[in-house]
């Protein structure tokens, strides 16, 4: 079967034109297979083709095989290339959510996109620092800090106007974030993944916002066969550049959703502390199944044990962070066993633990057996 550019070339991206094209191509009774790159147009085309009982996949653009020496790019060549790769099974499809899930994810991402609040606070703090207005307290943006802001005055009217404009911008941004958070909390009970959001909050450092952000970006956790696939999807797996006998691992790959990855990393910092159930965590645990509570507490105990083993080092916190980065890839049990093996040999360093994990992950090949040639 030869892949060729369909007769008629380009068509408008409208449902009626897409339906006519499908009817024209399927008039001979052949089964059709559609594919297109994921982009800003969303999943409307995929849903329409599925409703027309056609096979369609949405392709991840970053995972499309590309020839290194190919310097010509046109719509015709791209279409033929996608058809050939789809026929050969070389395309990687993305998970297509339903309309209700996509709507909830848009709402969560709208709240996460409110970086204006952080920038507005930076502008105000930079303005105050530039003019020598230093807050005498320890922590900013508390009630005491906001009361102190009401006492700040400038002699020149222009500077007072700028100061008040920064304060108003922060108040507007905070009101918008609070409004979007309230909308998420109001619509969450009707969401199909609401039980997952509640169960994830059993983990320490994962409150409502972190839980709903991770679930909204990951979607159905059951589509991953193992934790390594989930961590690779989130970009938390270590990058690697190995050749022959040399093996070198770098930082995390940072593939996939940066929003969910940032939320998980921020929540993971709480596992540096001693295992305990705080008042806020206790309130979140109420009403959750016992299995979810047991898994969350088991994770705390394991992380606390690793923390105690590294406590004697001068840079124990830094080493703890390096070892925590291996947990998503290798699992808690493997990391704990590697730490125990390193301590048994009297070594207290994260590089040794990482090397042990690498050896367990990729065992050495069996030695070659030299045989004597058979005599004639």
């Amino acid at each position: 079967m030869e892949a060729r550019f369909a007769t008629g070339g380009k068509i408008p991206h409208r449902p009626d034109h897409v339906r006519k094209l499908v009817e024209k191509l399927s008039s001979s009774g052949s089964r059709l297979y559609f594919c297109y790159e994921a982009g800003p147009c969303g999943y409307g085309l995929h849903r329409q083709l599925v409703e027309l009982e056609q096979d369609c996949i949405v392709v991840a653009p970053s995972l499309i095989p590309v020839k290194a020496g190919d310097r010509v790019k046109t719509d015709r060549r791209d279409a033929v290339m996608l058809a050939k790769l789809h026929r050969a099974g070389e395309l990687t499809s993305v998970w297509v959510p339903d309309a209700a899930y996509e709507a909830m994810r848009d709402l969560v991402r709208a709240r996460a996109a409110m970086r204006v609040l952080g920038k507005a606070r930076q502008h105000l703090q930079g303005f105050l620092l530039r003019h020598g207005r230093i807050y005498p307290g320890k922590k900013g943006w508390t009630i005491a800090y906001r009361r102190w802001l009401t006492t700040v005055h400038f002699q020149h009217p222009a500077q007072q106007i700028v100061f008040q404009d920064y304060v108003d911008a922060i108040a507007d941004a905070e009101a918008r974030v609070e409004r979007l958070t309230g909308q998420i909390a109001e619509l969450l009970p009707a969401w199909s993944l609401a039980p997952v959001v509640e169960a994830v909050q059993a983990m320490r450092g994962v409150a409502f916002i972190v839980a709903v952000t991770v679930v909204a970006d990951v979607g159905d956790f059951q589509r991953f066969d193992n934790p390594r696939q989930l961590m690779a999807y989130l970009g938390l797996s270590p990058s690697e550049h190995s050749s022959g006998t040399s093996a070198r691992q770098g930082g995390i790959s940072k593939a996939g959703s940066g929003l969910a990855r940032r939320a998980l990393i921020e929540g993971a910092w709480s596992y540096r502390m001693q295992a305990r159930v705080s008042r806020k965590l206790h309130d979140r645990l109420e009403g959750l199944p016992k299995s979810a509570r047991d898994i969350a507490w088991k994770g705390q105990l394991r992380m606390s044990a690793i923390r105690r083993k590294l406590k004697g080092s001068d840079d124990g916190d830094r080493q703890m962070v390096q070892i925590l980065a291996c947990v998503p890839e290798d699992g808690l049990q493997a990391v704990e066993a590697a730490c125990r093996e390193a301590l048994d040999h009297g070594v207290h360093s994260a590089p040794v633990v990482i090397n042990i994990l690498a050896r367990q992950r990729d065992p050495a090949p069996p030695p070659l057996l030299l045989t004597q040639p058979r005599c004639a």
Side-chain angles (χ1 to χ4, degrees):
M1 183 183 298
E2 180 184 1
R4 58 185 178 84
F5 198 68
T7 304
K10 300 179 181 179
I11 63 170
H13 186 194
R14 294 205 301 266
D16 53 340
H17 288 267
V18 174
R19 185 178 62 256
K20 290 180 181 179
L21 177 63
V22 172
E23 293 175 353
K24 178 181 179 180
L25 296 177
S26 60
S27 58
S28 60
S30 302
R31 181 172 178 79
L32 303 178
Y33 296 89
F34 293 87
C35 69
Y36 69 94
E37 297 182 26
C41 296
Y43 307 107
L45 178 59
H46 177 274
R47 295 190 180 108
Q48 181 185 2
L49 292 174
V50 171
E51 290 178 356
L52 295 175
E53 299 181 354
Q54 302 296 328
D55 187 284
C56 179
I57 64 172
V58 183
V59 183
S62 60
L63 300 180
I64 298 177
V66 180
K67 295 180 180 179
D70 194 355
R71 295 292 185 271
V72 180
K73 183 184 184 306
T74 62
D75 292 342
R76 180 184 295 270
R77 292 171 64 93
D78 289 346
V80 174
M81 178 189 66
L82 286 176
K84 290 181 178 180
L85 293 175
H86 190 20
R87 181 184 58 186
E90 297 293 334
L91 296 177
T92 302
S93 61
V94 301
W95 177 65
V96 180
D98 54 34
Y101 170 85
E102 188 178 10
M104 194 66 182
R105 185 177 63 180
D106 291 340
L107 180 60
V108 174
R109 288 182 176 179
R111 185 200 178 278
M114 280 300 301
R115 298 183 180 180
V116 180
L117 176 59
K119 292 183 178 180
R121 288 179 173 178
Q122 290 178 355
H123 291 164
L124 176 60
Q125 290 176 332
F127 179 77
L128 294 174
L129 180 63
R130 191 165 60 251
H131 293 283
R133 306 303 199 272
I134 308 299
Y135 175 58
K138 296 182 180 180
K139 189 175 181 181
W141 305 111
T142 59
I143 297 178
Y145 181 82
R146 297 175 189 275
R147 290 175 179 172
W148 173 79
L149 287 177
T150 60
T151 64
V152 176
H153 297 284
F154 295 89
Q155 294 182 355
H156 200 285
Q159 292 178 340
Q160 188 67 33
I161 292 174
V162 173
F163 169 74
Q164 191 61 43
D165 184 74
Y166 283 147
V167 173
D168 294 341
I170 294 173
D172 295 340
E174 289 176 342
R176 185 179 176 187
V177 170
E178 185 177 356
R179 183 170 61 253
L180 290 174
T181 305
Q183 293 294 332
I184 294 173
E186 182 179 352
L187 296 175
L188 180 64
W191 192 22
S192 59
L193 295 178
V196 181
V197 175
E198 295 177 355
V200 171
Q201 293 184 62
M203 306 297 294
R204 186 177 183 180
V206 182
F208 174 73
I209 294 300
V210 175
V212 74
T213 300
V214 173
V215 174
D217 268 45
V218 174
D220 186 8
F221 284 83
Q222 295 181 352
R223 60 193 178 101
F224 301 100
D225 295 334
N226 50 64
R228 290 190 177 185
Q229 291 185 0
L230 175 60
M231 294 302 105
Y233 173 80
L234 294 172
L236 293 173
S237 298
S239 58
E240 183 175 356
H241 184 78
S242 302
S243 178
T245 58
S246 65
R248 184 178 63 185
Q249 285 190 339
I252 58 177
S253 62
K254 295 185 179 180
S257 172
L259 176 60
R261 181 171 59 252
R262 183 171 64 251
L264 285 176
I265 291 175
E266 291 179 356
W269 278 99
S270 62
Y271 284 88
R272 299 181 299 111
M273 310 303 177
Q274 184 179 0
R276 61 184 293 265
V277 177
S278 62
R279 178 60 183 272
K280 293 183 178 179
L281 180 58
H282 179 270
D283 295 341
R284 298 201 304 264
L285 291 175
E286 292 184 354
L288 293 181
K290 186 177 183 301
S291 58
R293 299 197 303 268
D294 293 343
I295 292 174
W297 179 243
K298 193 175 183 180
Q300 283 207 56
L301 292 178
R302 288 180 175 176
M303 289 293 95
S304 180
I306 297 174
R307 170 65 176 161
R308 288 195 302 270
K309 293 174 183 178
L310 296 174
K311 192 174 181 179
S313 303
D314 296 335
D315 57 344
D317 288 343
R318 185 182 299 275
Q319 294 190 43
M320 183 64 181
V321 172
Q322 295 176 357
I323 294 176
L324 281 174
C326 301
V327 174
E329 179 71 13
D330 300 282
L332 284 173
Q333 294 181 352
V335 172
E336 188 176 6
C339 292
R340 187 162 47 249
E341 180 179 348
L343 293 175
D344 291 341
H345 290 82
V347 183
H348 303 79
S349 64
V352 174
V353 176
I354 295 175
N355 289 334
I356 295 175
L357 291 171
R359 187 177 68 247
Q360 294 176 354
R361 192 184 312 115
D362 300 319
L368 297 177
L369 298 178
L370 300 178
T371 59
Q372 297 292 336
R374 180 179 298 179
C375 297

